[in-house]
Amino acid sequence: MSFYFVIIGTKDNPLYEAEFGTWKQGGDGVARFRDEQRHLNQFIAHSSLDLLEELQWAGTGGSMYLKCIERFAGTAGGGSGGVVGVAGGVNGAGAGGVWVSVFLTAGNIKFVLLHDTRADEPIRQFFYDVYELYTKTLMNPFYSVDMEVRSAVFDGRVRAGVKKYL
Amino acid sequence: MILSLLILNKAGGLVYHRDFSNTFTKLSSNDYLVLAGTFHGVHAITARLSPFGPSSGGTPSSGLEVMESEHFRMQCFQTLTGTKFLLFTEPQQPNVDVILRRIYELYADYVMKNPFYQIEMPIRCEAFDRHLMAYIKPKQ
Amino acid sequence: MERSNTDSFRHSQYLPFSPTTSSHPSTPLAQKHASLPIPTPTTASSLSGSASTLRYSQSRKTIYDRHLNRSKGAELSKASFAFLFGEMVQYAQKRVSGIQDLEKKLNAHGYSVGQRLLELLVWREGRSGKRETRVLGILQFITNTLWRAIYNKPADALEKSRDHEDEYMISDNDPMVNTYISVPKEMNQLNCAAFQAGIIEAVLDSCMFPARVTAHSVPNETWPGKTVFLIKFEQVVLDREAEFIS
């Protein structure tokens, strides 16, 4: 089970990206993506931003964790799969399906996680963990909004979060 | 009854002058400048005048602090930085020390914390004037 | 410049510099999962190639170890802030010509404060933190949460302008940044609360409510320092609000 995590800034620019594998059930934490899949990951993350924008302003909810907003169905060849509908539905472990979960901060920074099995609660905790890390990064006076996060400590803490929750 | 306040800078120039009562004749503004300069000189001389030398505590004697006559009393408060606050009051005014300390506090707040005030220049701070009047008026 | 391990650093609060890493997505990220990669100065310098010339805190604490609630409810002496703010005003004054530019500079200073303050305050609300999607919601957040976090009291009034749909006004009878400042007569239009206006503008911009915020003095009898922050939203915001209502 592999995850692709990216933090996207207010101008749709990536601030931080990382790939993880799961630590549970004997996994060794290494992401196993096919090569084409890797390029597709970035595409999927960006294309989900459109849907995200719609959901962002829907209703008066205003919660930060938006759960799974999209399920992207890809074919085994990893070619041009179509984007399939909106979320919240079945916990489909379809072949090659990728779920997109999003967390949106108050300052409009998007944390996007691509994963192949759906698991709301651990992902929510992971997102809140990263949210805390991001806020601490922002407190640095030498870091401005929409700047890339290049800290090795940040990287280490995110991976620790993955180990803990995912 | 407080009559007037003068503030002198380190070099002896007059930076602030305010009258709080109309019961005495006013001098011209030039006269006040001369007065300030003269006092600065007198204060410096009197600091050296004491025949006893430094006190047992090792502190050298300070300059002129109080000058009293039948009609008025003048008290001088000199800060560590050389700024002098001269307060003219009627001879029977109590608690002049307390008043001078409070004026010093107002100075430290509304003059020194004002980014538009240039050090050693004449004081033109509206907040300082306002708070000073608010403090002195009830005492008259 | 050598790193000197003198006693002075043991007592200093320097935060360690985090060296750049290459987090390129196409390289397989093989991590030894035996130990968490907390960087020590030696590994850090080997990662960056050449010896780092920056100093490290002896206790090796990073900014990520600092708890965000540490300064919650902490009080700052007004005098310290006043001196710092006075220097900020003088610094800006040297670099600009004209009152409008000075206000813009102060606004820019407040802007970076506001961006950080927003995230921090929303984080501190914990699980119940929410993003504001309505104009009234974000204005309430500013007048209550933000003002209370900075000044320990809510703002004095929030009003909507009758003439213009896109204008709102927040009034503060005695803005704390202006307490010790007396503006000289020739700079009468300057209001140093432009700094506070910058904070408000950053909060609004970051929440996707683009606006321009300016500070105006409206002295009256009881409150000679009364300031009104005029918030002018852009058309995007009004359109979105209209969609909500319909």
Side-chain angles (χ1 to χ4, degrees):
Chain A
M1 223 202 342
S2 310
F3 304 95
Y4 174 74
F5 177 63
V6 61
I7 301 183
I8 299 180
T10 60
K11 298 182 178 29
D12 289 347
N13 54 324
L15 308 180
Y16 173 80
E17 26 185 4
E19 296 173 343
F20 317 111
T22 182
W23 290 95
K24 292 196 171 35
Q25 293 150 11
D28 59 359
V30 178
R32 286 185 172 74
F33 284 118
R34 296 188 301 276
D35 275 331
E36 321 85 43
Q37 180 77 17
R38 211 169 261 139
H39 300 297
L40 207 52
N41 283 338
Q42 297 186 338
F43 169 74
I44 298 173
H46 272 88
S47 65
S48 64
L49 290 181
D50 286 332
L51 188 56
L52 170 63
E53 257 185 61
E54 273 176 53
L55 285 178
Q56 187 176 2
W57 300 108
T60 56
S63 63
M64 297 199 275
Y65 178 44
L66 292 175
K67 299 196 179 28
C68 289
I69 65 170
E70 189 179 31
R71 181 168 166 272
F72 184 88
T75 61
S80 49
V83 174
V84 175
V86 183
V90 188
N91 185 5
V98 170
W99 291 95
V100 180
S101 302
V102 169
F103 182 93
L104 189 59
T105 71
N108 210 44
I109 306 289
K110 312 153 191 51
F111 301 160
V112 179
L113 183 70
L114 269 64
H115 49 102
D116 36 16
T117 48
R118 200 176 155 177
D120 278 344
E121 199 40 46
I123 294 183
R124 170 207 286 267
Q125 290 171 329
F126 172 67
F127 273 144
Y128 269 97
D129 220 31
V130 179
Y131 180 40
E132 182 173 345
L133 286 173
Y134 173 74
T135 312
K136 286 183 183 170
T137 311
L138 190 56
M139 289 299 119
N140 181 0
F142 297 110
Y143 176 84
S144 34
V145 175
D146 283 342
M147 208 167 104
E148 279 186 56
V149 183
R150 289 192 165 283
S151 160
V153 187
F154 182 83
D155 196 40
R157 296 283 167 113
V158 170
R159 286 175 195 290
V162 174
K163 200 168 164 190
K164 206 157 83 173
Y165 297 116
L166 295 176
Chain B
M1 175 91 156
I2 298 172
L3 300 176
S4 67
L5 169 71
L6 271 81
I7 304 183
L8 278 64
N9 64 12
K10 226 185 293 211
L14 182 70
V15 293
Y16 187 75
H17 161 244
R18 188 65 173 257
D19 293 319
F20 299 109
S21 136
N22 294 323
T23 56
F24 56 96
T25 50
K26 306 277 165 64
L27 302 174
S28 74
S29 59
N30 201 37
D31 283 342
Y32 280 110
L33 288 168
V34 172
L35 179 65
T38 312
F39 179 80
H40 179 80
V42 165
H43 185 94
I45 293 172
T46 50
R48 303 274 179 165
L49 213 50
S50 163
F52 295 108
S55 61
S56 53
T59 55
S61 68
S62 79
L64 181 64
E65 275 184 13
V66 177
M67 190 162 82
E68 209 167 312
S69 87
E70 274 181 11
H71 306 289
F72 78 96
R73 177 180 197 269
M74 182 202 80
Q75 182 149 343
C76 167
F77 173 64
Q78 183 179 33
T79 70
L80 287 167
T81 54
T83 311
K84 291 187 254 303
F85 291 83
L86 290 173
L87 194 65
F88 291 85
T89 64
E90 284 185 348
Q92 61 270 32
Q93 173 78 22
N95 291 337
V96 181
D97 278 334
V98 172
I99 298 176
L100 268 174
R101 290 224 168 263
R102 178 76 186 129
I103 292 178
Y104 185 34
E105 203 182 306
L106 291 175
Y107 171 82
D109 277 344
Y110 298 101
V111 175
M112 298 314 277
K113 290 181 185 144
N114 186 13
F116 297 105
Y117 172 66
Q118 291 162 309
I119 309 284
E120 311 289 305
M121 289 285 119
I123 295 176
R124 302 239 177 286
C125 303
E126 185 253 324
F128 179 62
D129 286 333
R130 205 166 9 104
H131 283 84
L132 192 61
M133 291 309 277
Y135 176 64
I136 301 283
K137 270 267 181 307
K139 295 190 185 306
Q140 305 291 60
Chain C
M1 184 167 55
E2 295 190 4
R3 247 189 304 140
S4 51
N5 296 320
T6 58
D7 276 0
S8 59
F9 293 152
R10 209 157 285 140
H11 301 296
S12 75
Q13 295 293 320
Y14 286 114
L15 301 168
F17 168 65
S18 308
T20 62
T21 66
S22 54
S23 53
H24 201 269
S26 59
T27 59
L29 301 159
Q31 284 281 330
K32 296 191 189 59
H33 51 83
S35 60
L36 288 172
I38 297 175
T40 63
T42 47
T43 52
S45 53
S46 64
L47 271 173
S48 57
S50 60
S52 169
T53 54
L54 291 174
R55 298 166 290 199
Y56 290 82
S57 148
Q58 290 290 341
S59 59
R60 308 230 177 104
K61 274 194 174 308
T62 63
I63 57 173
Y64 297 103
D65 294 318
R66 210 182 146 111
H67 201 265
L68 285 171
N69 277 340
R70 203 171 93 159
S71 53
K72 185 175 185 178
E75 290 182 351
L76 173 70
S77 107
K78 205 159 158 183
S80 319
F81 176 73
F83 283 122
L84 184 64
F85 187 62
E87 283 306 309
M88 207 191 287
V89 173
Q90 287 184 34
Y91 177 86
Q93 209 175 3
K94 284 200 193 74
R95 279 161 178 71
V96 296
S97 51
I99 296 178
Q100 298 294 341
D101 286 334
L102 182 56
E103 287 203 345
K104 266 200 207 110
K105 263 262 152 89
L106 290 176
N107 193 309
H109 284 142
Y111 199 87
S112 18
V113 175
Q115 285 175 325
R116 292 164 170 78
L117 206 51
L118 169 69
E119 292 279 4
L120 185 66
L121 292 179
V122 174
W123 184 86
R124 281 192 179 155
E125 288 179 14
R127 282 300 169 97
S128 57
K130 38 172 42 58
R131 295 176 299 111
E132 297 295 339
T133 43
R134 306 295 304 274
V135 164
L136 202 54
I138 188 72
L139 290 174
Q140 299 269 22
F141 174 80
I142 293 176
T143 49
N144 286 330
T145 317
L146 186 77
W147 235 259
R148 251 185 253 269
I150 307 178
Y151 303 119
N152 228 14
K153 67 174 187 60
D156 293 310
L158 169 64
E159 293 150 5
K160 184 169 155 49
S161 158
R162 261 177 277 232
D163 310 318
H164 297 103
E165 265 303 307
D166 54 351
E167 285 184 2
Y168 288 79
M169 292 165 295
I170 298 181
S171 338
D172 194 343
N173 288 334
D174 190 18
M176 212 170 277
V177 297
N178 279 349
T179 330
Y180 299 118
I181 298 185
S182 321
V183 183
K185 285 196 184 46
E186 55 269 14
M187 302 173 85
N188 225 359
Q189 295 99 22
L190 173 70
N191 189 335
C192 294
F195 180 76
Q196 176 64 37
I199 297 181
I200 299 175
E201 192 169 329
V203 171
L204 290 172
D205 278 354
S206 304
C207 285
M208 304 287 278
F209 290 94
R212 262 181 306 124
V213 185
T214 45
H216 303 272
S217 346
V218 286
N220 67 15
E221 271 303 309
T222 36
W223 302 109
K226 181 166 173 170
T227 305
V228 161
F229 297 98
L230 185 66
I231 302 172
K232 199 171 168 63
F233 286 108
E234 290 186 12
Q235 193 55 36
V236 184
V237 179
L238 298 176
D239 296 338
R240 208 163 53 205
E241 274 299 292
E243 272 179 38
F244 269 123
I245 298 174
S246 64

